[in-house]
Amino acid sequence: MGNGMQTEKKKNKKGTLKKGTLKTGVALIKYGINLKINMAAMVLFTLLGIGMEWLLVFVFPSRQWVWGMWLDVGAVLLFCAAMYPSQILMSLGLSSMVEGSCYKKKLHTSVPVLISMGGNLAAVAVILLIRGLGAWRAPERASELILDMAGVGLLVLAIDILAAFIYKFFYLSMVIYVAVGVCFGTVSGFYAAVKEEIPHVLPEWHINASGAVVFCLAMVFLGGALQYMVYVAVYKRPFSKAAFGSNTAKRLV
């Protein structure tokens, strides 16, 4: 009887720990390598992202005049800021704290994905809030501001895919990032030029405001799913020395 109760307690304890894995992962962030530097960078990117979004919506309403191509710099900065908590958690893989844990695989796969998705959803909420205020202040731009959320969704998907590979294949990720950026800028610039010079030659986007927001949110979850699949597939590969900076790389020797 006593052995049965003891076994049940062990099962319950194990189940509780499994449910608390995400909470444990969040708590472990404070032990991450270069925590202060990474947190400072996250705050800086967040403030810059909010500032750029505010400028895009309220100060420079014509993005073509400001950037010369379609690129929501504020959104990019906010989504990059959302990567930092999971990056800090990943850095713990260089220490014995996580390496000797029975939750090592989850702390390198599902937990970083959930943390990133939470950050991305928070970034989307901030962007929607700023654009909602812009639409309230200038109703004639409401459709443009909200419809651009579809493009924001593509940005977060691209950044999530980059983040999925960067910790294990740093240099390859940089090459892919530059190649995708060049292709995206070229295609979007060509599309804008052709639509301006020769209307009705290229197809229009048939999507309403609600559809654009739903599409953006769908890209957040799709990006998270792709991240998880990549993390699981490359789980056993060693971390890239360049992914966490030169000082941290010494720990990989």
Side-chain angles (χ1 to χ4, degrees):
M1 185 71 176
N3 290 336
M5 290 179 66
Q6 191 174 1
T7 304
E8 187 66 27
K9 286 181 180 179
K10 287 182 179 179
K11 287 181 179 179
N12 290 338
K13 185 177 180 182
K14 187 176 181 181
T16 302
L17 287 172
K18 283 185 176 180
K19 291 179 181 178
T21 305
L22 177 59
K23 184 177 179 181
T24 301
V26 173
L28 285 173
I29 289 176
K30 63 183 178 182
Y31 299 108
I33 299 170
N34 297 327
L35 175 65
K36 292 182 179 179
I37 295 175
N38 283 313
M39 292 301 292
M42 183 184 74
V43 172
L44 178 62
F45 274 50
T46 300
L47 293 176
L48 287 175
I50 293 173
M52 296 297 278
E53 277 295 309
W54 190 270
L55 287 174
L56 182 67
V57 173
F58 294 100
V59 181
F60 302 116
S62 174
R63 62 173 181 270
Q64 292 288 337
W65 181 74
V66 180
W67 311 120
M69 70 168 76
W70 191 94
L71 181 61
D72 193 334
V73 179
V76 172
L77 291 171
L78 287 171
F79 291 132
C80 286
M83 290 173 55
Y84 275 96
S86 59
Q87 176 178 310
I88 297 170
L89 183 61
M90 281 288 194
S91 72
L92 288 173
L94 311 180
S95 69
S96 59
M97 181 182 297
V98 171
E99 288 299 307
S101 170
C102 59
Y103 300 108
K104 174 185 173 182
K105 186 171 184 178
K106 287 187 177 181
L107 292 173
H108 285 174
T109 54
S110 58
V111 175
V113 169
L114 291 173
I115 292 174
S116 290
M117 284 177 60
N120 287 336
L121 289 173
V124 169
V126 170
I127 295 169
L128 272 175
L129 175 62
I130 294 174
R131 288 170 181 257
L133 291 173
W136 174 73
R137 185 174 178 180
E140 68 278 5
R141 295 190 62 221
S143 177
E144 171 197 338
L145 289 171
I146 304 302
L147 287 177
D148 278 353
M149 291 302 297
V152 171
L154 294 176
L155 285 176
V156 70
L157 178 62
I159 292 172
D160 278 348
I161 293 173
L162 170 68
F165 290 96
I166 198 169
Y167 303 115
K168 302 295 180 79
F169 309 96
F170 180 79
Y171 293 111
L172 176 62
S173 297
M174 290 297 99
V175 172
I176 294 173
Y177 174 73
V178 172
V180 171
V182 170
C183 291
F184 182 81
T186 302
V187 172
S188 61
F190 173 77
Y191 185 91
V194 171
K195 290 300 293 181
E196 183 177 350
E197 297 296 330
I198 315 174
H200 309 300
V201 170
L202 296 177
E204 296 282 353
W205 285 86
H206 296 289
I207 187 171
N208 56 27
S210 299
V213 174
V214 170
F215 177 82
C216 180
L217 294 174
M219 292 301 100
V220 172
F221 289 102
L222 176 60
L226 292 175
Q227 264 192 346
Y228 177 75
M229 288 189 288
V230 172
Y231 284 160
V232 171
V234 303
Y235 166 67
K236 293 185 178 181
R237 290 189 62 91
F239 286 107
S240 170
K241 293 183 178 181
F244 299 99
S246 57
N247 292 330
T248 309
K250 297 175 182 179
R251 297 173 181 257
L252 290 169
V253 178

